[in-house]
């Protein structure tokens, strides 16, 4: 995988495609075009999704990145107009609508999105992506827990360790979206012992911990001052220790969004005062930055660079550093 090559680290930059070369080519071509919705644009999007075949993990990564990138263009609508009974066209149009809905805090014509997802599921019953999009719809529309659980079973029944499904459920349960810290902890406690160490969703426990840490810091006062204690003991400390020992090893992770999870690991190690231990993770990333979690307290690339420099100093000095 390009992620684990031995090249010299590159300058930090936001890389939505991460190390997916095929997706990078499509994004590059789309960025050079104007007048979204043209037949060439539709062909680019449809072909890169088709190339992923039944690799549900990579299809999900490509679909989510492209949906975000083209949400305000006419590409998804043009594709659906051309092929209204194509499962990928239905899912992609729904995902683009969801991307706008999550951004704006409201979903236009949620009923249509739900109908399209169900139709896509009928056309391609083995595909988890329609159900993953429905989990996102449940976040915006605040479905009841029993309804969300039913969708969750459909998604994970098709791909047990589907990374995006776990992230959507985590967000639905979070206090920021109407859930609670207790609900998040219960969910993580149930799933963490079942997930293989190198599964696509293996970062869900550490992701939840980073969100908890950032929530404490955002509250200010005593909670912010003591937020670092989160990493000092118990299950969170054990999860961080395991991740630090395994995730950046060459070939350990194979899923499409592995660099995003390594960003979470680097951030968590720095938050825990273990910047020196994050040095190898930064080296592995070679400057691939994801907006979250770095953008919690400033521009993502700038914060990444600052912590990367601190990790380098810590390695040279043999100390962790905060």
């Amino acid at each position: 995988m390009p992620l684990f090559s031995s090249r010299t680290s590159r300058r930090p930059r936001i890389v939505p495609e991460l190390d997916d070369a095929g997706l990078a080519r499509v994004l590059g071509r789309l960025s050079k075009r104007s007048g979204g919705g043209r037949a060439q644009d539709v062909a680019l999007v449809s072909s890169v999704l088709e190339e992923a075949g039944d690799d549900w993990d990579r299809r999900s990564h490509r679909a989510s990145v492209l949906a975000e990138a083209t949400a305000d263009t006419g590409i998804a609508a043009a594709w659906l107009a051309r092929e209204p009974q194509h499962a990928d066209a239905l899912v992609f149009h729904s995902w683009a609508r969801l991307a706008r809905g999550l951004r704006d805090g409201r979903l236009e014509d949620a009923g249509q999105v739900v109908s399209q997802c169900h139709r896509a599921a009928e056309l391609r019953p083995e595909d988890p992506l329609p159900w993953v999009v429905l989990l996102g719809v449940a976040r915006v529309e605040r479905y009841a827990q029993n309804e969300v659980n039913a969708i969750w079973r459909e998604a994970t029944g098709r791909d047990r360790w589907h990374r995006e499904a776990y992230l959507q459920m985590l967000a639905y349960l979070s206090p920021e979206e109407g859930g609670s810290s207790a609900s998040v902890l219960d969910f993580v406690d149930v799933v963490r012992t079942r997930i293989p160490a190198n599964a696509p969703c293996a970062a869900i426990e550490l992701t939840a911990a980073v969100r908890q840490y950032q929530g404490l810091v955002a509250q200010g006062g005593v909670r912010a001052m003591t937020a670092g204690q989160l990493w000092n003991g118990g299950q969170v400390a054990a999860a961080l220790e395991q991740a630090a020992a395994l995730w950046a090893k060459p070939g350990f992770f194979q899923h499409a969004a592995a660099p995003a999870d390594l960003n979470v690991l680097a951030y968590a190690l720095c938050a825990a005062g273990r910047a020196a231990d994050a040095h190898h993770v930064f080296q592995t990333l070679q400057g691939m930055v994801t907006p979250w979690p770095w953008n919690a307290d400033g521009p993502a690339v700038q914060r990444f660079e600052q912590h990367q420099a601190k990790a380098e100093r810590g390695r040279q000095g043999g100390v962790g550093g905060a």
Side-chain angles (χ1 to χ4, degrees):
M1 295 174 65
L3 170 62
F4 301 118
S5 73
S6 58
R7 295 175 303 166
T8 302
S9 293
R10 297 172 59 187
R11 184 173 181 83
R13 71 278 181 210
I14 300 291
V15 188
E17 69 274 12
L18 303 176
D19 66 342
D20 188 323
L23 179 56
R25 286 192 296 271
V26 171
L27 289 172
R29 291 175 184 174
L30 290 175
S31 69
K32 296 176 182 177
R33 297 183 185 276
S34 60
R38 295 186 301 180
Q40 300 97 317
D41 299 336
V42 171
L44 282 170
V45 172
S46 62
S47 64
V48 79
L49 293 182
E50 185 177 355
E51 285 170 8
D54 59 359
D55 182 342
W56 307 127
D57 174 72
R58 191 155 299 277
R59 273 170 47 81
S60 174
H61 172 59
R62 291 180 172 185
S64 61
V65 171
L66 286 166
E68 286 280 353
T70 65
D72 295 321
T73 72
I75 294 175
W79 186 8
L80 188 62
R82 288 178 57 187
E83 300 184 90
Q85 295 304 312
H86 192 298
D88 282 355
L90 287 159
V91 169
F92 188 71
H93 187 265
S94 299
W95 213 321
R97 295 281 289 273
L98 175 62
R100 290 200 302 270
L102 290 171
R103 181 191 64 197
D104 300 338
R106 56 183 296 273
L107 190 62
E108 292 186 10
D109 202 348
Q112 182 187 36
V113 175
V114 170
S115 296
Q116 288 177 181
C117 287
H118 283 295
R119 180 56 181 152
E122 292 173 358
L123 292 168
R124 197 170 187 179
E126 70 277 17
D127 191 350
L129 299 193
W131 302 101
V132 173
V133 176
L134 286 172
L135 284 173
V137 173
R139 290 173 56 190
V140 181
E141 296 294 300
R142 293 311 304 173
Y143 283 14
Q145 182 70 62
N146 62 330
E147 296 178 86
V148 178
N149 289 344
I151 299 170
W152 164 259
R153 287 192 294 270
E154 296 285 358
T156 55
R158 288 161 172 79
D159 186 2
R160 188 175 183 183
W161 313 121
H162 198 286
R163 180 179 183 274
E164 188 65 28
Y166 279 76
L167 290 176
Q168 293 289 346
M169 179 62 93
L170 184 66
Y172 169 83
L173 294 171
S174 70
E176 293 80 12
E177 296 194 12
S180 67
S181 297
S183 296
V184 170
L185 291 174
D186 287 345
F187 173 65
V188 170
D189 191 53
V190 168
V191 301
R192 64 179 174 80
T193 58
R194 305 174 183 174
I195 300 172
N198 64 341
C201 60
I204 196 68
E205 184 174 9
L206 201 58
T207 298
V210 168
R211 289 182 175 179
Q212 182 183 1
Y213 169 79
Q214 291 182 337
L216 293 170
V217 171
Q219 292 180 47
V222 175
R223 287 187 178 274
M225 293 173 61
T226 60
Q229 296 176 8
L230 175 70
W231 311 104
N232 292 342
Q235 183 53 41
V236 170
L240 181 58
E241 193 64 37
Q242 182 185 51
L246 296 176
W247 290 7
K249 286 185 175 181
F252 181 77
F253 273 154
Q254 296 292 325
H255 60 284
D261 293 336
L262 289 179
N263 269 263
V264 174
L265 173 58
Y267 179 95
L269 287 169
C270 291
R274 297 175 57 180
D277 295 333
H279 179 261
H280 179 54
V281 184
F282 281 115
Q283 279 192 315
T284 304
L285 283 168
Q286 297 185 19
M288 281 185 284
V289 183
T290 52
W292 188 86
W294 306 104
N295 60 6
D297 58 353
V301 172
Q302 181 183 68
R303 297 297 289 156
F304 182 99
E305 288 179 318
Q306 291 169 347
H307 285 291
Q308 182 175 242
K310 188 174 292 185
E312 176 64 24
R313 292 194 300 271
R315 183 189 67 88
Q316 294 174 350
V319 295

